[in-house]
Amino acid sequence: MSHTPTLQLELVSNNNLVFSSIRATSEGSTDEENCQAGHMKSGDGQCQSCTEGTYGTDGLECLSCPDSSTSVQGATSISQCICLANHYKNSDQCQPCPATSTSDQGATSVVACKCPADHLLENETCKTCPGGQKSEPGSTSLSDCKQSESSLTSGFQTVSMAFTLYALNSPF
């Protein structure tokens, strides 16, 4: 029996996500002829690794990772798709980090999104520390916002000067 290789491109929409797959098949092929997971058959019937940004579970096709994610070559499941930089994983989808924050590739929660200095991450939003307080980049709690040393010193000098002036003007 002669096997004629064919190549199919399939687009599937699932909850506003579009997945594409490339499938190499031969008429009359059987499961025994499938490639191992993370691979698919090329047009000439040879097994080849799924490319970066895709994964293959059945040895027949390679599926694209969801939007804003990628994978290593030869990935075997959607769980091996990791979020790009400045995104974090929420279920199997990658969401953008809150405005002005950044994350490394592979972030698995919004807490991995780091707000800039003098801001804190609160309710998935970067907020400015109150009252001109300062914080390190990546702060996640109001307690991370502190008065800067220069404003503390300035306040101490003001109190000290006021006390000195009061003492100098005192009738004692």
Side-chain angles (χ1 to χ4, degrees):
M1 175 192 253
S2 170
H3 297 283
T4 308
T6 59
L7 202 56
Q8 298 174 324
L9 175 63
E10 180 180 359
L11 295 176
V12 179
S13 177
N14 181 8
N15 294 335
N16 297 326
L17 294 175
V18 176
F19 298 92
S20 63
S21 65
I22 300 172
R23 182 180 211 150
T25 60
S26 294
E27 287 204 26
S29 66
T30 64
D31 285 340
E32 294 84 51
E33 296 175 7
N34 290 354
C35 300
Q36 64 182 357
H39 294 76
M40 63 172 250
K41 285 194 179 181
S42 63
D44 64 2
Q46 299 296 312
C47 292
Q48 64 183 33
S49 290
C50 292
T51 59
E52 186 177 308
T54 66
Y55 65 97
T57 59
D58 60 8
L60 292 174
E61 62 186 339
C62 296
L63 303 167
S64 293
C65 287
D67 289 342
S68 304
S69 68
T70 190
S71 67
V72 296
Q73 182 175 340
T76 59
S77 77
I78 193 170
S79 66
Q80 291 177 304
C81 295
I82 60 171
C83 296
L84 299 174
N86 304 322
H87 292 78
Y88 67 96
K89 191 166 261 191
N90 185 0
S91 299
D92 280 335
Q93 298 180 25
C94 294
Q95 303 293 325
C97 284
T100 72
S101 68
T102 60
S103 72
D104 293 331
Q105 182 171 302
T108 57
S109 75
V110 70
V111 176
C113 299
K114 305 294 182 201
C115 294
D118 307 331
H119 291 75
L120 67 129
L121 184 64
E122 186 176 84
N123 298 324
E124 298 186 10
T125 304
C126 288
K127 295 185 177 179
T128 305
C129 286
Q133 293 180 337
K134 305 292 182 189
S135 70
E136 295 293 321
S139 295
T140 58
S141 169
L142 187 57
S143 65
D144 294 334
C145 296
K146 311 269 187 218
Q147 289 293 329
S148 68
E149 281 189 34
S150 62
S151 67
L152 289 174
T153 303
S154 173
F156 174 74
Q157 288 172 342
T158 302
V159 169
S160 176
M161 288 173 64
F163 180 74
T164 303
L165 287 174
Y166 176 76
L168 289 174
N169 292 326
S170 172
F172 300 106

